[in-house]
Structures are given as C-alpha cells and as structure tokens.
Amino acid sequence: MTLLGHDRYCDEIDSQVRQLRDVVTSAGADLSATVPTCPDWSLEQLVRHTGGALRWVELIVRTRAQEHIPEDRIPLAGGPEAAGDPAALDAWLAQTGAMLVGTLREAGPDTKVWAWAGDLSSGFWARRMTHELAIHRADATLAAGLPYEVDPEVAADAIDEWLGIVEYVQRTEQDEAAAELRGVGRSIHLHATDTTPELNAEWVVELAERGVTWRRGHEKATVALRGPLTDVLLGFYRRLPLDGGRLEVLGERELLEFWLERATFG
C-alpha cells in the first residue's frame, strides 16, 4: 500500500472542499432535496455534516487532543445560522476548509493526536478527511444531478483506506458485523477496468477464518466487481447500485452483497 503523502492529502482536502462548494452554489442544487445515497439527509444537512466533521478534526489536530472531543465543544460545527442560504453555506465551507488545511500543514503528518483507527497521528486525519470529502462530495454531486469525478490515485487510496479500516475494526473491536466477515476460502476481487497498469487498481479481499486480509493484485476470487475505478469505488461504498448497468458482478453475487451489508462501520 502506497500512501499519497501528507502534502498531497492537504492539497486534496483543499480541492475537494472547493468542488463541494461548487455543488452548493450550482444553479441546479436544491438544498432541501433528499440525498439519494443518504436518504435521511437533505443536501444541506449532508453539507453541514461534512463541514462539521472537518471542523471537528481541525480542533483535534490544532489542540493536540489526546481524547475524543464532543460535538458541543466544536465552534460552528453545525454550520451557519441561516438555513437554506447557499452563499452562507459556501462561506462557512470555505472558512472550514482553509482552517483544516492550515492546521494540518502546520502539524505535519507525525503529530500525536487522538484518533479511532489505531494510527494516532495528524497524518491519519489528513488521509481520513480526504476520503470523507471524496465520498460525501459524491453524495452531494449525485443529489444535485451533476457529474462526479475523482482523481484515480485518490480513488484507489480510498479503497485501500477502507479495507484497512475494516481489517482494523475486525481485529480490535467487538463489532458483530465485522465478526461476520469471516469465512474459509471466500474472496472478493475488485477490478478497475480503465486505469493504467502502474496504478495497479485491483484488489483481492480474503474472508478467512482468522479475519479479513487484503492486497493489491489480479487473482481469481469467489466474486469479482468490475468497472471504471470511480464506479468501483462508489459501488464498494454503497453509493452505486450493483445492478445499475455501470458495474459488472462475476461469480457469487451474494458474497459481495453480504460484504457490503456488513462493512459499514467506521
């Protein structure tokens, strides 16, 4: 697994926030519209949630927190006071993104801070927020009926990161869903069909009795999920239906559905 590097993650957070702001201020965006991939939220609620998560992380890193910070301690975590105002939401997001990027750049990748997935560092949060933004930007973009694009290196790293989180949760936490992701001789192959060989955008996930393991590579598996890398990412994050015509499932579809139903923690 090759990480993108701290400076690159900071650059990506800056870019992803700008792209999310473009969605908020686009002519076709209805802030009251239900987000199809997160149906409990409107587009405005999704954006406020995402910005609130960025502000939470900014506070953790800036204060060098060594324990979880409750939401009620985060200034302006819920967003601007005015509801339904794209300009106010855009300004809040702009400020939020600048705060987080500045704090992460100042901290560098190795500052020790509280985190929840084993890597107690500011670098963990730079990577986590890159992919938090990439996925929730997809939610917002799809809700607004706009085309979604993500850099191939970011998309591949997002899959790496999520598999690492699944592996960590299963190894260290008493999570019932994670515990069910065990089994002898079952495997999943993710295969991006539109990338260069250098990116090596293929993954093998083994559901062994000892737990989930994964690696990059092309191997025969119990079930394969194939398609363009962005679609594979969105399908793996349950943002794109398997039967929507953009993805191909080969083999035991039930195993892939079993995985997607349970690998939802984090």
Side-chain angles (χ1 to χ4, degrees):
M1 177 181 65
T2 302
L3 305 183
L4 300 182
H6 189 73
D7 287 341
R8 174 70 184 279
Y9 288 128
C10 291
D11 290 344
E12 287 296 333
I13 291 170
D14 182 66
S15 175
Q16 297 282 345
V17 169
R18 283 190 284 103
Q19 290 177 81
L20 181 58
R21 292 173 56 206
D22 288 344
V23 173
V24 169
T25 58
S26 66
D30 177 2
L31 294 179
S32 66
T34 298
V35 179
T37 49
C38 300
D40 292 337
W41 286 339
S42 68
L43 177 56
E44 180 166 1
Q45 288 171 324
L46 170 75
V47 172
R48 288 174 180 267
H49 162 82
T50 304
L54 300 182
R55 284 183 174 254
W56 177 59
V57 169
E58 192 278 332
L59 185 61
I60 288 171
V61 176
R62 174 165 48 84
T63 62
R64 309 302 195 251
Q66 300 301 307
E67 60 184 12
H68 177 269
I69 295 180
E71 184 177 353
D72 60 9
R73 289 179 50 194
I74 307 165
L76 289 175
E81 184 174 343
D85 184 341
L89 205 57
D90 175 56
W92 175 72
L93 274 178
Q95 182 189 56
T96 300
M99 288 169 54
L100 177 59
V101 170
T103 293
L104 287 171
R105 290 196 193 280
E106 185 275 329
D110 300 320
T111 297
K112 184 179 179 182
V113 296
W114 177 86
W116 54 262
D119 179 0
L120 305 179
S121 74
S122 49
F124 164 83
W125 285 117
R127 188 187 194 200
R128 179 81 285 278
M129 289 300 99
T130 294
H131 302 316
E132 176 86 357
L133 276 163
I135 297 303
H136 280 326
R137 183 173 64 82
D139 294 323
T141 302
L142 296 170
L146 299 170
Y148 175 75
E149 297 180 356
V150 64
D151 182 273
E153 290 183 339
V154 173
D157 190 62
I159 293 175
D160 281 350
E161 189 218 24
W162 189 245
L163 288 170
I165 288 173
V166 173
E167 189 178 27
Y168 172 82
V169 170
Q170 190 178 72
R171 186 177 68 250
T172 63
E173 299 184 13
Q174 298 300 314
D175 186 281
E176 183 177 345
E180 291 178 359
L181 293 174
R182 298 179 185 269
V184 178
R186 299 186 298 171
S187 56
I188 299 168
H189 178 210
L190 307 178
H191 184 172
T193 57
D194 64 339
T195 59
T196 64
E198 291 75 18
L199 187 58
N200 189 25
E202 297 191 56
W203 294 261
V204 178
V205 185
E206 292 187 338
L207 284 67
E209 194 62 39
R210 67 186 183 278
V212 169
T213 60
W214 65 275
R215 58 189 174 275
R216 293 276 193 107
H218 179 89
E219 300 176 32
K220 186 175 178 59
T222 310
V223 61
L225 178 66
R226 289 171 44 90
L229 177 55
T230 298
D231 292 346
V232 170
L233 171 67
L234 295 180
F236 204 53
Y237 263 87
R238 301 179 67 185
R239 264 54 183 193
L240 190 66
L242 299 181
D243 55 2
R246 289 163 55 178
L247 291 165
E248 183 180 15
V249 179
L250 303 173
E252 295 185 16
R253 179 191 180 100
E254 295 79 6
L255 175 60
L256 181 58
E257 292 174 341
F258 180 85
W259 167 279
L260 295 176
E261 289 170 0
R262 286 159 178 79
T264 57
F265 33 80

